[in-house]
Amino acid sequence: MSGERRPLADRPLTEPHPSRLPSAHPDRERILAAHAAALAAGEAGYLDPASGLFVLSAGFLARRGTCCGRGCRHCPYVDDPPSG
């Protein structure tokens, strides 16, 4: 999937695919708030509230134009149904 051009998934950039951020994730609300702030500011990403790691925003990933295939939390190209 690396470098594969494909259309954006049919969901808002503010909403990650459930396989990447499940609704039951304990930090989901804090993560979504940090992501929304990064999107609104046009920033490339944000610091994960729990781990402190830098996470790319869906806006940055969409502007890149391709899916890198690395399992990004906010990948705007993932549209397959969650597994399980």
Side-chain angles (χ1 to χ4, degrees), residues 2-78:
S2 181
E4 179 182 339
R5 288 208 173 269
R6 52 196 255 195
L8 295 176
D10 187 24
R11 65 173 187 283
L13 291 179
T14 54
E15 186 59 35
H17 191 274
S19 69
R20 304 292 172 92
L21 185 63
S23 59
H25 190 287
D27 291 312
R28 181 177 170 84
E29 293 308 314
R30 293 183 349 167
I31 289 167
L32 291 179
H35 181 248
L39 283 175
E43 296 173 350
Y46 62 93
L47 293 179
D48 181 272
S51 70
L53 297 174
F54 189 77
V55 179
L56 295 171
S57 74
F60 173 84
L61 296 168
R63 287 189 299 273
R64 185 166 45 184
T66 60
C67 176
C68 67
R70 293 188 176 134
C72 299
R73 176 184 284 164
H74 299 286
C75 181
Y77 303 100
V78 177

